Amino acid sequence: MALFDSNLLSIITFLPLFGAIAVMGFERGNSPGARGFALFISGINFFLSLLLWHRFDANSANLQFVERASWIPSLGAQYLLGVDGISLFLVLLTTFLTVIVIVQSYSGVTDKVREYLAFMLALETAMLGALVAQDMLLFYMFWEAMLIPMYFLIGIFGGKNRVYATVKFFLFTMAGSVLMLVAILFLYFKAPTSVMRTFELAALTKNTLDLQTQRWLFLAFALSFAIKVPMFPVHTWLPDAHVEAPTGGSVILAGVLLKMGTYGFLRFAMPLFPRAAHEFLPVIAALAVIGIIYGALVSMVQKDMKKVVAYSSVSHLGFVMLGIAAMSTTAVSGAVYQMLNHGISTGALFLLVGVIYERRHTRSIKDFGGLAAVMPSYAMIFLLMALSSIGLPGLNGFIGEFLILAGTAKSHFLDPWRQLTSPSLLMSSLAHCGVLFAALGVILAAVYMLSMYRRIFFGKVMHPENHGLKDLSLREKLMFAPLIILVVVMGVLPQSILHPIDVSVQKVIADFEIANHAAARPTQEPQFHVLPSPPGTLLPQGSGIQLPHLQQQPIVPLPTPPTQNTGAVP
């Protein structure tokens, strides 16, 4: 049992990979045995992740379940894993959605089943590894490994333009990854020669880099993560990848892969380069707001159901990035919560689009109408997930968006005027413009989502092909049942998830503020001591020093102590 507990993260991370290798031993074609085996492996892994949550100390902000072993001693690289309140629930989301997409494959994939399942399980290992890795070289290995299974999932099982979408996805993400690798290597070689070089994240955050160097390195990391989110204007690969990917690929892409970008900002970019990040926070917030509005407006004019959901991801993840850019506990906790919400509601919407595509082999909105009378169960679940995506109070989407907007409104990191002038109505209005425009994105989300719903489900059935459509099967209802439960429970009882997130987020923000305050202090502060003075001696008027209990004694600066030669190499 002790061996199991001390290696729980490794078991959760690599069990799907062993499953991917084993599933290739099943027969080719439409193999029920391969599906059953993959479902068993993914179900066990989800159970283990629930056990991880059960044993997690929600009141601790430190890394837990840490596993450390020497990996490449000559380079100082380690096999170092750990989770905190931020990564814990993303691990749970990953294992949960993998089970869902394997259940979906029973009707969604009918050829090359074992290959599809092997790629899906291998992708799960890569995603989990990226979430728990605490060594930068190990993280980069998992980060790049995610591209390979998704490349084949889109390229082999995608739509008619799958090759174009696959190449575009690969080139965009690879370009950003190369820059991040260069930045990681720079950090590695920048370590003082007096200490052993390492890729450990905690050690690299202690490197003392000048501001100009931090700026360049932060931009390298930020571009890689921004492409993965994706943020405006490097988002153009996402709609093509979503539309051409199979249903299961779209669910994993929206539910987990996109969160690697937002998680990367919070876990790596901000702690490694806090001073540069502080400077770029208003820029990130501005791009996030643009993405919110842009994604919503483009969604309003789409004619393909899948494209509507795809562009809505650009808008929703703009909210997540806005919360991270605010760097307040409320906003960042809301951003992490919104990552989970988006994975559930948008993943469910892609599944719903896949259900109707399997029956009609079209996703064009104009080919439907009046489906509420033909498929009432399908219509009810679609409405619930649409309302969740909009952010209806009482459902999960509302909690995340509300926390993000409330936390952003009181963020001092996004108020560049606060330190330059006294507060005023004008400055306050400028500081809150981002929140107002982001709130407009909530209204636009209701417009495009409810408009799509009206055109698909209300009115008369205009196309004869739609009269005979079958409603959800028992398997499909069971597939959606846990998603429905999560949408409601996370909307009315969020604290069990928010509390561990809050504890870890507070530590991240405290470290970020300490790093920026330390950089803002002068390198050598003058020291003062109090000398006796004759009665009646007062400090000069207008000095700005208000010390009533010391006004009878002037403050005199001490001489600066001489510099001692420590023998260190400058």
Side-chain angles (χ1 to χ4, degrees):
M1 182 60 71
L3 181 64
F4 174 81
D5 291 340
S6 60
N7 295 279
L8 184 55
L9 277 185
S10 292
I11 296 172
I12 292 173
T13 301
F14 289 103
L15 179 61
L17 181 60
F18 290 121
I21 297 171
V23 80
M24 290 300 294
F26 287 86
E27 65 272 16
R28 291 176 177 271
N30 193 355
S31 172
R35 287 196 186 93
F37 177 77
L39 183 59
F40 173 76
I41 292 294
S42 61
I44 291 295
N45 216 38
F46 176 57
F47 171 78
L48 292 175
S49 65
L50 290 175
L51 181 64
L52 184 74
W53 183 16
H54 175 70
R55 298 185 179 181
F56 185 85
D57 183 2
N59 296 313
S60 173
N62 298 322
L63 288 174
Q64 301 179 42
F65 303 97
V66 175
E67 300 178 26
R68 184 190 299 267
S70 180
W71 178 31
I72 310 176
S74 59
L75 295 178
Q78 303 175 76
Y79 176 78
L80 182 58
L81 308 181
V83 292
D84 63 359
I86 297 171
S87 55
L88 170 68
F89 293 103
L90 292 174
V91 168
L92 280 161
L93 178 67
T94 303
T95 57
F96 170 71
L97 287 180
T98 303
V99 175
I100 296 296
V101 298
I102 291 178
V103 172
Q104 186 275 336
S105 73
Y106 275 80
S107 59
V109 181
T110 57
D111 189 29
K112 299 177 182 175
V113 172
R114 68 174 191 178
E115 290 83 359
Y116 175 87
L117 297 171
F119 288 133
M120 194 63 72
L121 291 173
L123 178 59
E124 182 182 9
T125 285
M127 294 185 297
L128 291 171
L131 290 170
V132 300
Q134 300 299 321
D135 179 277
M136 291 301 298
L137 189 60
L138 184 64
F139 164 75
Y140 187 79
M141 183 191 74
F142 284 119
W143 176 269
E144 290 297 275
M146 290 187 295
L147 295 180
I148 301 171
M150 183 55 71
Y151 177 90
F152 287 109
L153 284 170
I154 300 175
I156 296 176
F157 302 94
K160 61 180 181 179
N161 294 322
R162 59 185 180 273
V163 175
Y164 168 77
T166 301
V167 172
K168 192 174 183 180
F169 160 73
F170 191 85
L171 290 178
F172 263 79
T173 51
M174 179 60 73
S177 299
V178 170
L179 291 176
M180 182 169 65
L181 177 61
V182 173
I184 291 173
L185 293 176
F186 183 93
L187 282 172
Y188 174 76
F189 288 110
K190 189 67 174 178
T193 56
S194 58
V195 298
M196 183 177 179
R197 289 194 173 100
T198 179
F199 288 98
E200 184 177 349
L201 175 62
L204 293 178
T205 57
K206 299 176 183 178
N207 277 357
T208 55
L209 302 172
D210 62 86
L211 181 57
Q212 188 62 27
T213 302
Q214 282 201 26
R215 289 187 183 121
W216 286 108
L217 296 179
F218 177 80
L219 286 174
F221 271 75
L223 180 60
S224 179
F225 295 142
I227 291 173
K228 187 73 78 175
V229 171
M231 293 182 67
F232 179 90
V234 289
H235 65 283
T236 56
W237 64 269
L238 179 66
D240 294 311
H242 266 317
V243 169
E244 299 304 326
T247 299
S250 294
V251 172
I252 293 297
L253 182 60
V256 184
L257 272 181
L258 304 187
K259 312 306 182 301
M260 295 299 171
T262 54
Y263 173 79
F265 270 103
L266 193 55
R267 173 67 71 211
F268 301 104
M270 302 296 185
L272 285 170
F273 319 109
R275 295 170 61 195
H278 189 187
E279 286 191 348
F280 284 105
L281 288 181
V283 178
I284 295 173
L287 292 176
V289 172
I290 293 173
I292 292 170
I293 303 299
Y294 169 83
L297 291 176
V298 176
S299 294
M300 291 172 62
V301 298
Q302 297 304 312
K303 301 177 181 179
D304 186 300
M305 297 167 63
K306 209 171 186 182
K307 280 191 175 182
V308 174
V309 182
Y311 277 106
S312 75
S313 290
V314 178
S315 183
H316 288 307
L317 288 167
F319 278 100
V320 175
M321 287 307 304
L322 179 62
I324 293 174
M327 285 306 283
S328 69
T329 301
T330 303
V332 177
S333 295
V336 177
Y337 203 77
Q338 189 65 8
M339 293 184 209
L340 307 177
N341 295 336
H342 178 265
I344 294 168
S345 59
T346 303
L349 286 171
F350 276 120
L351 287 172
L352 289 162
V353 173
V355 166
I356 200 67
Y357 183 77
E358 291 171 13
R359 288 159 167 77
R360 281 281 278 112
H361 301 289
T362 178
R363 295 186 300 263
S364 179
I365 297 175
K366 66 180 178 59
D367 291 334
F368 299 101
L371 289 190
V374 180
M375 305 173 68
S377 298
Y378 178 77
M380 273 184 19
I381 295 175
F382 202 114
L383 178 61
L384 178 68
M385 295 305 169
L387 294 176
S388 168
S389 180
I390 292 169
L392 181 74
L395 301 180
N396 59 340
F398 172 76
I399 303 295
E401 290 182 355
F402 177 80
L403 291 175
I404 290 169
L405 294 176
T408 302
K410 62 182 182 181
S411 170
H412 63 274
F413 286 109
L414 297 183
D415 190 351
W417 303 278
R418 182 168 296 180
Q419 297 178 354
L420 301 180
T421 183
S422 58
S424 66
L425 178 61
L426 175 62
M427 296 299 111
S428 176
S429 299
L430 291 173
H432 290 81
C433 270
V435 176
L436 295 177
F437 279 108
L440 177 62
V442 178
I443 301 173
L444 294 177
V447 173
Y448 66 73
M449 196 61 71
L450 295 180
S451 174
M452 177 180 70
Y453 188 86
R454 176 185 60 81
R455 288 182 286 169
I456 294 172
F457 292 98
F458 293 151
K460 296 181 179 180
V461 179
M462 303 300 296
H463 300 274
E465 301 91 337
N466 296 335
H467 282 287
L469 291 178
K470 294 182 180 180
D471 205 355
L472 296 178
S473 66
L474 177 61
R475 177 189 57 81
E476 290 168 332
K477 290 178 180 177
L478 292 175
M479 177 179 69
F480 284 110
L483 294 166
I484 294 170
I485 293 171
L486 284 173
V487 162
V488 176
V489 171
M490 290 179 66
V492 296
L493 298 172
Q495 194 56 31
S496 59
I497 296 176
L498 274 176
H499 175 63
I501 293 174
D502 279 341
V503 173
S504 296
V505 165
Q506 287 171 11
K507 183 178 185 300
V508 170
I509 294 177
D511 292 343
F512 185 81
E513 291 181 338
I514 289 171
N516 278 287
H517 290 163
R521 286 199 292 268
T523 57
Q524 190 170 17
E525 297 181 356
Q527 302 178 20
F528 297 92
H529 72 268
V530 179
L531 296 177
S533 61
T537 305
L538 300 176
L539 289 174
Q541 293 185 358
S543 63
I545 303 176
Q546 298 180 358
L547 300 172
H549 61 290
L550 294 177
Q551 283 189 352
Q552 298 299 320
Q553 302 181 14
I555 296 179
V556 180
L558 287 173
T560 303
T563 303
Q564 296 181 358
N565 185 4
T566 62
V569 178

